[in-house]
């Protein structure tokens, strides 16, 4: 739409670059978080996902296992993009980014209204189950075939973040 080499399109392109650079300054933390954690912000905007995040821990673990199984089935079918989304969703029931600003989509994504939520579980057994599930979901991305270029950028820093409990 704004392609070409005319004065108006150049002005629009420059304005978009300036606004992007401006917004990037206001979300430095978010930009450092691995994409699979960033995506949990967007998954959390779906009504069903919001409901799953407030389930009691045991029910949430069961739901996460179900979603991960869906991801495994998609992976087996070589549907890597959808499988990746399922793995993000399953792990994102316990460790996710959310915004305290209800109008963040209109106002822009800024670090000062973002929070990183970590729900480790209530019991030692739940903690072990959740940790195992999160690590398996987020590490499934490491097994994606190298030819899946559109996913390659998503998992930069994966092992550093698994080892650090995804704390930035």
């Amino acid at each position: 739409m704004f392609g070409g080499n005319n004065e108006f399109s150049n002005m629009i392109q420059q304005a978009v670059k300036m606004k992007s650079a401006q917004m990037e300054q206001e979300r430095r933390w978010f930009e450092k978080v691995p994409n699979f954690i960033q995506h949990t912000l967007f998954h959390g905007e779906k009504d069903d996902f919001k409901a799953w995040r407030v389930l009691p821990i045991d029910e949430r673990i069961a739901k996460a296992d179900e979603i991960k199984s869906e991801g495994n089935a998609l992976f087996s079918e070589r549907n890597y993009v959808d499988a990746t989304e399922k793995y993000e969703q399953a792990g994102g029931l316990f460790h996710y980014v959310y915004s305290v600003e209800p109008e963040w989509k209109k106002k822009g994504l800024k670090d000062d209204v973002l929070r990183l939520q970590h729900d480790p579980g209530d019991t030692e057994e739940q903690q072990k189950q959740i940790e195992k599930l999160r690590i398996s979901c987020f590490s499934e991305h490491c097994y994606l075939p190298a030819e899946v270029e559109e996913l390659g950028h998503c998992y930069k820093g994966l092992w550093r973040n698994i080892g650090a409990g995804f704390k930035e």
Side-chain angles (χ1 to χ4, degrees), residues 87-138:
Y87 297 141
E88 290 171 354
Q89 289 175 351
L93 287 178
F94 305 100
H95 191 85
Y96 54 91
V97 176
Y98 71 95
S99 177
V100 296
E101 170 56 63
E103 299 294 319
W104 68 268
K105 288 181 184 177
K106 292 179 185 173
K107 294 182 178 182
L109 195 55
K110 300 176 184 177
D111 285 348
D112 64 337
V113 298
L114 296 177
R115 304 293 181 270
L116 182 63
Q117 178 68 38
H118 177 65
D119 295 332
D122 300 324
T123 67
E124 190 174 323
E125 180 59 31
Q126 289 173 339
Q127 290 171 6
K128 287 178 183 177
Q129 287 179 293
I130 291 168
E131 183 176 347
K132 181 180 176 185
L133 182 110
R134 283 183 47 231
I135 289 172
S136 69
C137 284
F138 293 140

Side-chain angles (χ1 to χ4, degrees), residues 2 9 13 24 48 70 75 85 103 113-114 124 134:
F2 297 115
S9 69
Q13 289 173 358
E24 194 172 297
D48 55 351
E70 292 171 14
F75 185 92
E85 185 172 327
E103 299 294 319
V113 298
L114 296 177
E124 190 174 323
R134 283 183 47 231

Side-chain angles (χ1 to χ4, degrees), residues 52-69:
W52 297 338
R53 281 186 175 162
V54 297
L55 288 171
I57 293 290
D58 287 330
E59 290 178 42
R60 207 173 338 155
I61 291 170
K63 186 59 163 173
D65 281 334
E66 177 186 323
I67 295 168
K68 182 183 177 228
S69 292

